[in-house]
Amino acid sequence: TPGELLNCELIDTADRVQIKDSNQGLGMSFDQEISDSLGVWGRLGYQDPDVSQFDKALQFGFVKTNLFAGRSKDELALGYGSTFPSDRYKKATGFSDNEQYLELYYKYVLSGDGSTTGFHISPDIQIIVNPGGNTNIDPVFVYGLRLQSHF
């Protein structure tokens, strides 16, 4: 039926997670350069648990440049994140574990400065553990390739 966040036909209607027309939340973010070639970042987020399946989030990671001689604009980055299920989602699905994410990418700058001009390519791998908060599902591997052009 419309308005349901999940397809939970076997779950009592009173226990189903519902979608509202709007959602509100709060987020905090920081990025800090540690040296000329190393930076760290972090994010915290919270959103309405009556609307969101996962109402809290935490992410952090690092970015490294100057890994190879002559490749000062390239970047290697590693990030970790976790999202936490809302109480309503846990009750509706029985899945109470947090989703966890790990992402590794390399940005290869073909031309330009690597951020505001030129062209770069970024192979990427992501691993998602406990998809949907369900520990019975094997980790999911996502492979990507991003092409970006600035002009």
Side-chain angles (χ1 to χ4, degrees):
T1 55
E4 289 175 12
L5 189 58
L6 300 172
N7 183 10
C8 301
E9 294 179 11
L10 300 177
I11 297 173
D12 186 299
T13 304
D15 293 332
R16 294 183 186 175
V17 179
Q18 300 291 310
I19 292 179
K20 295 181 180 179
D21 292 335
S22 64
N23 188 4
Q24 295 181 1
L26 176 67
M28 293 176 37
S29 177
F30 81 88
D31 295 87
Q32 181 63 49
E33 219 175 76
I34 302 297
S35 71
D36 288 341
S37 63
L38 181 64
V40 295
W41 57 269
R43 316 273 185 269
L44 292 171
Y46 174 83
Q47 53 186 350
D48 185 348
D50 290 334
V51 177
S52 307
Q53 292 177 340
F54 293 79
D55 58 349
K56 293 174 278 309
L58 164 72
Q59 296 105 21
F60 57 88
F62 78 89
V63 178
K64 176 79 173 116
T65 59
N66 292 319
L67 288 167
F68 306 108
R71 305 289 327 152
S72 64
K73 298 172 188 166
D74 290 3
E75 294 179 351
L76 175 70
L78 179 67
Y80 169 80
S82 187
T83 53
F84 302 86
S86 67
D87 289 339
R88 289 188 71 187
Y89 179 76
K90 288 188 251 186
K91 183 178 178 183
T93 64
F95 304 141
S96 60
D97 284 356
N98 55 321
E99 281 188 339
Q100 298 180 58
Y101 314 91
L102 189 63
E103 179 177 8
L104 177 68
Y105 81 85
Y106 186 83
K107 179 167 72 170
Y108 185 83
V109 178
L110 296 166
S111 66
D113 66 10
S115 59
T116 60
T117 62
F119 184 76
H120 54 86
I121 185 169
S122 301
D124 173 87
I125 183 170
Q126 299 174 38
I127 303 166
I128 304 167
V129 178
N130 301 333
N134 186 346
T135 59
N136 297 317
I137 298 176
D138 290 337
V140 174
F141 291 81
V142 179
Y143 306 95
L145 185 64
R146 179 176 60 192
L147 303 173
Q148 192 162 1
S149 179
H150 300 272
F151 47 92

